[in-house]
Amino acid sequence: MTDEPSDKPEHPDRGFRPSVNYIQPEGSKGKSVVLTPEGIFAYEGGAMTTIADAVDFFWATVAHDPREWNAGLKGYDWLLAHAAEATREDVRRTLGWLEGAIGLKDRTAAVAACRYLAAMPAMLLAADYGRLMAIFNSRKVGMVWQVTPDLDVKPLPSGPIPEFGQEAGFGLIRAVPELYLKLAMFGPEMETIVAMLAAEAIRYGVSLPPELAAMAKGVPSQG
């Protein structure tokens, strides 16, 4: 005798449905499985249930390889559209995706992860302040420098800097400035980091929105 429920919890209904009109063959018994870009669905007795949907595919894909995020665009687009409803688990998974993308030097994937973070509620993100600090307290992650023959490398961070064509650095403050504005609200230390990055970006000719440019005005100029 056991008190455990016999059925697994139902899969959350995110609104995904098969893109094909599936009809179970007459006289067939048991379940039929339908696999489409929207997910995996079980069809039995005229009823369709979700086994795994496009969001599940997306998370499984980026957990396996952060660079392959665009193979699950249906799931990513759904997450962006519903970012206001994100959970702590979504934050955890997205930070893992971002860390993986940075480690693999994939700027496009890092920007995509940051766009989702930027769309999440500020209070939800703030709960992971320590992990955010570890990721974003980095000039290599935030800044971007044009690789030209006259570039003075002495002020640049020590160690190898990821290069993307004629640019060095992920440049996330340029690509996703709204996230850096949100991060600056989480505490004085993060605000200082963002202000210093904004000031450096302006010195190197990186275009920033007025709100970030205003933060840079309070940073002493580098002589």
Side-chain angles (χ1 to χ4, degrees):
M1 181 70 72
T2 177
D3 294 327
E4 294 182 4
S6 58
D7 296 328
K8 295 181 179 179
E10 289 187 7
H11 187 282
D13 186 358
R14 300 187 179 103
F16 289 99
R17 297 293 181 270
S19 54
V20 295
N21 185 20
Y22 180 81
I23 300 175
Q24 198 168 25
E26 185 176 351
S28 62
K29 297 180 180 180
K31 288 184 180 180
S32 297
V33 176
V34 183
L35 175 61
T36 74
E38 291 74 24
I40 303 174
F41 304 88
Y43 194 91
E44 183 177 23
M48 187 82 71
T49 57
T50 303
I51 299 174
D53 63 22
V55 171
D56 300 314
F57 288 167
F58 171 78
W59 286 129
T61 298
V62 297
H64 176 70
D65 188 339
R67 299 167 294 188
E68 296 296 322
W69 66 278
N70 52 7
L73 280 179
K74 283 184 181 291
Y76 177 72
D77 290 344
W78 189 96
L79 288 168
L80 274 186
H82 296 81
E85 305 158 22
T87 65
R88 288 295 304 278
E89 179 66 8
D90 292 325
V91 176
R92 184 192 68 79
R93 285 172 162 174
T94 307
L95 292 177
W97 172 28
L98 175 58
E99 290 163 342
I102 292 171
L104 291 168
K105 299 179 175 60
D106 191 309
R107 182 160 67 174
T108 303
V111 170
C114 285
R115 284 179 178 156
Y116 183 35
L117 289 173
M120 292 179 180
M123 291 301 294
L124 181 68
L125 284 181
D128 278 282
Y129 183 86
R131 195 171 175 189
L132 290 166
M133 176 72 74
I135 296 171
F136 290 99
N137 184 17
S138 168
R139 294 167 66 206
K140 294 179 184 180
V141 168
M143 264 298 295
V144 60
W145 299 272
Q146 296 297 318
V147 181
T148 59
D150 61 344
L151 176 64
D152 182 5
V153 299
K154 291 194 295 292
L156 271 55
S158 60
I161 302 175
E163 293 191 19
F164 307 94
Q166 296 301 307
E167 294 184 338
F170 283 87
L172 294 184
I173 198 170
R174 177 185 67 183
V176 199
E178 62 273 23
L179 176 58
Y180 278 82
L181 283 168
K182 188 169 284 189
L183 293 173
M185 299 187 299
F186 295 166
E189 189 176 6
M190 188 72 86
E191 182 180 11
T192 298
I193 290 168
V194 172
M196 293 180 68
L197 277 171
E200 182 173 6
I202 290 172
R203 289 199 304 274
Y204 281 91
V206 178
S207 179
L208 297 179
E211 298 90 339
L212 274 176
M215 292 182 62
K217 292 179 180 178
V219 178
S221 60
Q222 302 294 313

